Amino acid sequence: MKKRILVTGGAGFLGSHLCERLLNEGNEVICLDNFFTGSKQNVIHLIDNPYFEMIRHDVTMPFFIEVDEIYNLACPASPIHYQYNAIKTIKTSVMGAINMLGLAKRVKAKVLQASTSEVYGDPEIHPQTEDYWGHVNPIGLRSCYDEGKRCAESLFFNYHRQNDVRIKVMRIFNTYGPRMDPNDGRVVSNFIVQALKNEDITIYGDGSQTRSFCYVDDLLEGMVRLMNTPDAFTGPVNIGNPGEFTILELAQNVIELTNSKSKIINQPLPADDPMQRQPDITIAKKELGWEPKIPLQEGLIKTIEYFKSVI
Ligand code: NAD
Ligand code: UDP
């Protein structure tokens, strides 16, 4: 059955892939975005589809529409972008959640929140399970994002308990792939762009910190499966690739796959940069029947091809 689906942040990296996928599955898609970090270019190939609508709007303002499902992705995701206007980032997470939950309540839509592994902060348990409450600096430079997302999770669960809103909370771990913004400062895009230009690869700190990188197609499969779970399942659920790599290993992989002449240089580690991150995906496997399929090298090759075409 054709559903009418709202995707906030739909012109961003993950949102644009999601809009495309939902349209391909035969749905009607409304993409809402204020174009802060996203761009029309990401969805330009969808514009001619009569079942696709693009709306310039800011989620901090109320929005009225009739829809069956809402994917709430609007929020800058890279540290450079979310720290650019920290107060706005908090407003986007918190007021955006309130507006989308209010909308879901009124039209009885299901609503999915793109939460983050950042709710775990700099974790003291490894790998991270959903029952871990996290280790977040509430006043640090990353707090606008971390605490904004934590407050959004609280709002989701309170709307669920108080108003029976049908919610899905997804904790996304570092995801990469085509349509990442080459200038947003995230590690995969930075390293690939630097390697392709034979510029120095900038490792912050000694490169021993770890991340677990999920390819965008795997991530979206988990996201759509989560939306389609029975109402009783709300999450939170970790979606990410448990393959854990140091940032130095990532740099070495990128240099090898691009045949780059780049040298690795070290720069200071930003404040509160988490030392390790790896999702425990037991719940995703059980409840969604999901696990990632694309290993890092394979995903990097596809992403490198994309960056070759845009830079
Ligand atoms: P992105 O920056 O490419 O996309 C975010 C989109 O939201 C952009 O199109 C931006 O213009 C839009 N936006 C920002 N503020 C808005 C506002 N106030 N009103 C309307 N639109 C607004 O980032 P992404 O990687 O695609 O991330 C999408 C979501 O997934 C975010 O909520 C992010 O926190 C979450 N997430 C992503 C990752 C990842 O690794 N990519 C990891 C964890 C969580
Ligand atoms: N990083 C790095 N060099 C870069 C960009 C990032 O060493 O050019 C490091 C960063 O300090 C962090 C990791 O890579 O330890 C992941 O950074 P990113 O901004 O991609 O995401 P997050 O820290 O939010 O996981």
Side-chain angles (χ1 to χ4, degrees):
M1 197 189 68
K2 193 184 277 301
K3 290 179 281 192
R4 188 179 301 150
I5 304 176
L6 174 65
V7 178
T8 78
F13 160 49
L14 296 180
S16 62
H17 287 279
L18 178 64
C19 288
E20 194 175 302
R21 180 179 168 138
L22 296 172
L23 282 170
N24 286 340
E25 288 174 355
N27 300 295
E28 195 176 331
V29 173
I30 296 112
C31 165
L32 178 159
D33 208 293
N34 71 348
F35 300 116
F36 173 48
T37 52
S39 78
K40 260 189 202 158
Q41 199 55 42
N42 285 339
V43 288
I44 201 108
H45 58 297
L46 306 176
I47 298 281
D48 287 339
N49 187 324
Y51 293 107
F52 181 73
E53 265 173 86
M54 172 82 244
I55 297 173
R56 184 186 291 264
H57 183 82
D58 193 306
V59 280
T60 60
M61 310 297 283
F63 185 65
F64 297 92
I65 195 167
E66 268 59 48
V67 286
D68 304 302
E69 293 178 353
I70 305 165
Y71 287 84
N72 187 35
L73 273 60
C75 185
S78 90
I80 291 182
H81 283 145
Y82 69 63
Q83 290 169 24
Y84 170 77
N85 183 345
I87 297 166
K88 175 70 192 222
T89 299
I90 300 176
K91 286 185 183 169
T92 294
S93 275
V94 175
M95 293 161 71
I98 292 171
N99 288 329
M100 290 307 122
L101 286 160
L103 174 62
K105 179 181 161 190
R106 183 174 64 81
V107 302
K108 300 194 171 21
K110 254 192 285 189
V111 57
L112 180 147
Q113 168 67 358
S115 190
T116 168
S117 53
E118 289 280 320
V119 300
Y120 301 123
D122 192 4
E124 299 139 307
I125 70 149
H126 197 71
Q128 291 80 55
T129 46
E130 290 85 346
D131 58 5
Y132 176 52
W133 290 354
H135 180 225
V136 174
N137 175 355
I139 59 170
L141 286 177
R142 294 174 84 105
S143 66
C144 58
Y145 185 72
D146 302 6
E147 297 291 12
K149 290 282 188 180
R150 285 167 67 96
C151 184
E153 285 202 11
S154 169
L155 283 162
F156 267 70
F157 277 87
N158 284 306
Y159 269 77
H160 175 64
R161 282 188 286 259
Q162 239 171 285
N163 299 123
D164 293 323
V165 173
R166 293 181 293 156
I167 61 156
K168 309 284 176 191
V169 174
M170 169 174 185
R171 293 186 179 150
I172 303 173
F173 283 65
N174 296 60
T175 301
Y176 68 99
R179 292 200 208 120
M180 289 184 93
D181 176 350
N183 300 312
D184 80 2
R186 283 188 266 191
V187 68
V188 174
S189 42
N190 265 13
F191 285 3
I192 293 179
V193 171
Q194 290 163 343
L196 290 176
K197 293 183 172 171
N198 292 312
E199 290 171 355
D200 290 344
I201 305 262
T202 53
I203 288 192
Y204 303 158
D206 62 6
S208 64
Q209 71 271 37
T210 69
R211 293 294 186 273
S212 302
F213 300 100
C214 187
Y215 188 67
V216 58
D217 292 357
D218 278 336
L219 193 281
L220 287 193
E221 181 63 34
M223 189 181 277
V224 173
R225 281 190 191 211
L226 171 59
M227 185 60 112
N228 293 329
T229 50
D231 288 350
F233 184 70
T234 56
V237 58
N238 291 337
I239 302 286
N241 191 323
E244 185 185 13
F245 296 85
T246 65
I247 295 303
L248 177 60
E249 285 169 337
L250 176 72
Q252 288 163 339
N253 261 298
V254 170
I255 290 174
E256 194 187 308
L257 293 172
T258 50
N259 283 321
S260 175
K261 296 189 184 61
S262 294
K263 289 196 302 292
I264 290 176
I265 59 162
N266 296 89
Q267 291 186 351
L269 190 67
D272 297 335
D273 200 286
M275 273 314 291
Q276 52 181 10
R277 249 202 235 132
Q278 185 190 31
D280 180 312
I281 59 165
T282 310
I283 293 182
K285 280 186 183 161
K286 179 166 172 280
E287 300 290 340
L288 317 182
W290 175 88
E291 62 183 315
K293 301 211 167 6
I294 302 172
L296 182 65
Q297 286 232 346
E298 192 183 325
L300 284 177
I301 290 169
K302 293 173 197 265
T303 311
I304 289 165
E305 284 313 305
Y306 167 77
F307 278 106
K308 275 186 188 162
S309 71
V310 293
I311 61 168

